[in-house]
Structures are given as C-alpha cells and as structure tokens.
C-alpha cells in the first residue's frame, strides 16, 4: 500500500501560506486593539474595553473593529486547514482508501468512494475532491477535530491537495477503484 504525502514544493507552499496567515492574524489583532484603544494586559483588557464602549464608538471605529474581529476569528480556521494539509497522508490499497492528518484517521472501503470532481477549476493549482457516499467525518473521534474538518471540507468530501507527490497516480488509483459512480 503506497502512501501519498505533500511534496517538498507543497510543503514549502504550505509554510509560506502558514506564515502569511499568522501575519494576517497578528495584524488583525493589533488593528482591533489599536482601533478600540484596548490594553492587552490580562488585568486591564476588560476595563479598557468597558472604557472604550462607555466613551462611545464612531463608525470609523466600529466598522474596522468588526472587520478585524471577523479576521481574528476566521484566520485560526484557515491556519487549521493549512496544518491539516501539511500533515495529510493518503494510502490507497486493495481494501480501500485511508486518509490521515493531525489526529484524524478516516478509513474508507472503495464502495464508499462515489467519485472525483474538480474543486477549483479557476485556480492555478488543481484541487480535487473525493466524493463519498457516507459521512466520513463521523470516524473522527475528537469532536473539535471533527468540527474543524467538517468546516473545511464538509462531511462527505475529502480533498486531494495540489501539492501531493505522485498526485496523478493517486487520482488514477481512486478512479480505477470507484465501483459505482454517483449520478448527478
């Protein structure tokens, strides 16, 4: 059973994306704090937030603060997605397909694989999705990891990342083993 992982180029791309996401998150946090005039000291954060709200906030503060708050919340989800891609491993064998990543193990018999479809036709790098007949995320024991995986991909899909080494070979192996494609 051959295991497919990110190539060195795919790992470099993931590192660049991870560093970029961390910089965006740090910028959003800094902008949020400075826009509202908050203190990052644990003991002073709530009093500084109360003082800021009591002084009244203008549109010039509320709109950027809400935008930065959305980025502060969403960027960790992006970071998780990048980390899941970084450690992804696919194993295709006679009995089925196995996907492993950070704390995630999903084992699927070939009868559970419904097909492949391109996930991003407009992108520079190909990204395909393995369409499944069942909720594969239900196999993830940890509820937080299950939630994060479903947020990124859904319950009945698995990504086939662009940076995988021997990616075309994995896709051919999946196509060869699909027993009965989904209609529509």
């Amino acid at each position: 059973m051959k295991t497919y992982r990110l190539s060195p180029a795919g790992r470099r791309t993931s590192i660049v994306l991870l560093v970029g996401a961390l910089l965006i998150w740090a910028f959003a946090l800094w902008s949020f704090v400075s826009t509202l005039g908050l203190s990052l000291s644990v003991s002073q954060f709530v009093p500084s937030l109360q003082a800021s709200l009591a002084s009244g906030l203008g549109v010039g503060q509320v709109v950027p603060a809400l935008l930065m708050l959305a980025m502060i919340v969403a960027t960790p989800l992006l970071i998780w997605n990048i980390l899941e891609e970084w450690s992804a491993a696919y194993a295709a064998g006679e009995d089925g397909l196995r996907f492993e990543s950070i704390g995630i193990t999903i084992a699927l018999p070939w009868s559970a694989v419904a097909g492949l479809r391109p996930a991003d036709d407009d992108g520079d790098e190909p990204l395909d999705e393995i369409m499944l007949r069942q909720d594969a995320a239900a196999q993830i024991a940890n509820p937080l990891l299950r939630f994060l995986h479903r947020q990124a991909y859904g319950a009945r899909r698995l990504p086939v990342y662009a940076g995988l080494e021997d990616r075309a070979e994995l896709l051919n192996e999946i196509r060869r083993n699909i027993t009965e494609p989904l209609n529509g």
Side-chain angles (χ1 to χ4, degrees):
M1 181 182 299
K2 182 173 180 180
T3 301
Y4 301 87
R5 297 184 186 278
L6 281 183
S7 66
R11 289 189 176 272
R12 284 190 297 274
T13 300
S14 292
I15 289 172
V16 169
L17 292 173
L18 184 61
V19 168
L22 289 169
L23 289 172
I24 288 170
W25 187 80
F27 171 75
L29 184 62
W30 172 79
S31 294
F32 181 78
V33 167
S34 65
T35 298
L36 297 180
L38 303 177
S39 170
L40 283 180
S41 167
V42 175
S43 63
Q44 294 299 312
F45 181 77
V46 173
S48 66
L49 179 60
Q50 290 172 337
S52 181
L53 293 174
S55 68
L57 300 173
V59 174
Q61 290 175 298
V62 172
V63 172
L66 289 176
L67 178 62
M68 293 304 121
L69 183 60
M71 289 174 64
I72 290 168
V73 171
T75 304
L77 295 174
L78 172 64
I79 291 169
W80 162 257
N81 191 1
I82 294 168
L83 291 174
E84 186 173 343
E85 179 177 353
W86 170 270
S87 65
Y90 303 82
E94 292 301 317
D95 55 340
L97 182 68
R98 184 176 183 89
F99 173 82
E100 293 181 359
S101 191
I102 303 172
I104 295 173
T105 300
I106 298 174
L108 300 162
W110 287 118
S111 61
V113 178
L116 283 168
R117 74 170 193 166
D120 187 10
D121 290 333
D122 298 333
D124 292 338
E125 293 185 354
L127 177 65
D128 292 292
E129 292 177 329
I130 302 169
M131 306 305 295
L132 306 171
R133 298 181 196 284
Q134 62 194 31
D135 178 2
Q139 294 182 30
I140 303 170
N142 183 311
L144 176 61
L145 295 179
R146 185 179 328 115
F147 168 77
L148 291 170
H149 181 78
R150 281 184 175 149
Q151 285 299 107
Y153 306 111
R156 296 178 60 184
R157 294 184 307 221
L158 281 175
V160 180
Y161 298 110
L164 284 179
E165 201 160 20
D166 298 327
R167 183 176 185 280
E169 182 181 318
L170 173 62
L171 292 174
N172 287 334
E173 182 73 16
I174 294 168
R175 284 187 190 101
R176 186 176 67 77
N177 285 289
I178 294 173
T179 55
E180 187 179 318
L182 273 182
N183 294 330

